[in-house]
Amino acid sequence: MHQAIVNIMLDRIQDQFVSEKIFCDHFLVISLEEWEEWKKGKVSLSSEKMQKMKSLFSDYEWMLIQKIARQTILFPEKRNYVVAEYKRLKSIIAKEWINTGRAKVELITEQRVADDILSAYPKKHIVNLRIFMSYGEWGYDDILEFCMPGVIQQQIQDSQVDLLEWVDENLIETYT
């Protein structure tokens, strides 16, 4: 797997999981040693394990990751800041979607994911900000998710503006 993709995956794992060990033990169900070997490009993971890792991202995010990886092949200097570039581009795209007036925004808190498989082990106190474009066809929504520190939830609740406006005004500086 291309190192740019690995770096972006590692950033998402660090955002969502207390540690890589917990990610390996509870989510991917592999040994930490196997994980370390995979990160170095020395072993492959099964397609089932790769699909689980890919599930950390929406289809739209996965497409964006592929584009960014391709850019690092064309412009090797971009390899040094691939994660920052991914976050920057996601934020810009989200703002563009919001500016169309067609985007929807939802805040997914810990309480809303209580039944989720991720709640079966220790995790970071985060909220997910989901911005999506719906096209009226089931399964074809474009989704961007932003893992934000849990304190953002209180900041949004205390704000005098609605969620969509808060995102438009604060997303880029808060996320990147």
Side-chain angles (χ1 to χ4, degrees):
M1 178 150 300
H2 193 279
Q3 191 60 46
I5 297 171
V6 172
N7 290 348
I8 294 169
M9 287 179 139
L10 289 173
D11 183 67
R12 176 63 61 96
I13 291 164
Q14 290 167 356
D15 280 350
Q16 291 185 322
F17 296 86
V18 173
S19 69
E20 286 184 49
K21 178 164 179 28
I22 287 176
F23 169 76
C24 291
D25 290 348
H26 297 278
F27 185 80
L28 215 49
V29 192
I30 62 171
S31 70
L32 195 55
E33 294 76 24
E34 187 177 2
W35 174 247
E36 292 298 330
E37 292 295 302
W38 177 82
K39 288 191 320 186
K40 294 174 187 171
K42 293 183 178 180
V43 300
S44 296
L45 296 177
S46 70
S47 57
E48 177 186 280
K49 303 293 183 193
M50 290 305 298
Q51 195 61 36
K52 279 186 94 170
M53 281 202 300
K54 192 176 165 187
S55 75
L56 296 172
F57 301 91
S58 72
D59 291 340
Y60 192 89
E61 289 170 328
W62 191 249
M63 178 270 309
L64 183 59
I65 291 168
Q66 302 305 309
K67 286 183 173 185
I68 290 170
R70 201 168 26 254
Q71 285 290 312
T72 65
I73 294 167
L74 298 172
F75 305 100
E77 66 275 10
K78 290 188 174 198
R79 293 178 188 155
N80 298 326
Y81 54 91
V82 69
V83 172
E85 181 72 350
Y86 172 69
K87 288 183 171 186
R88 184 184 74 81
L89 289 169
K90 262 179 66 170
S91 299
I92 288 171
I93 292 165
K95 280 193 65 102
E96 287 293 322
W97 287 0
I98 289 167
N99 289 336
T100 68
R102 295 183 54 221
K104 294 179 178 80
V105 179
E106 74 181 331
L107 192 63
I108 302 165
T109 63
E110 284 184 15
Q111 295 81 18
R112 293 198 44 208
V113 295
D115 298 333
D116 194 285
I117 189 170
L118 297 178
S119 65
Y121 48 84
K123 60 182 179 170
K124 289 186 172 182
H125 180 60
I126 60 169
V127 294
N128 284 336
L129 189 61
R130 182 179 288 160
I131 301 171
F132 58 98
M133 293 284 285
S134 183
Y135 306 108
E137 295 289 329
W138 183 86
Y140 289 97
D141 292 355
D142 285 331
I143 302 168
L144 293 170
E145 281 199 34
F146 298 86
C147 299
M148 311 286 256
V151 297
I152 295 298
Q153 181 179 356
Q154 189 62 45
Q155 198 180 87
I156 292 169
Q157 289 172 344
D158 293 346
S159 175
Q160 298 297 317
V161 297
D162 71 0
L163 182 58
L164 196 59
E165 195 173 334
W166 185 93
V167 170
D168 190 40
E169 292 173 2
N170 298 290
L171 179 64
I172 291 176
E173 69 241 17
T174 304
Y175 184 67
T176 56

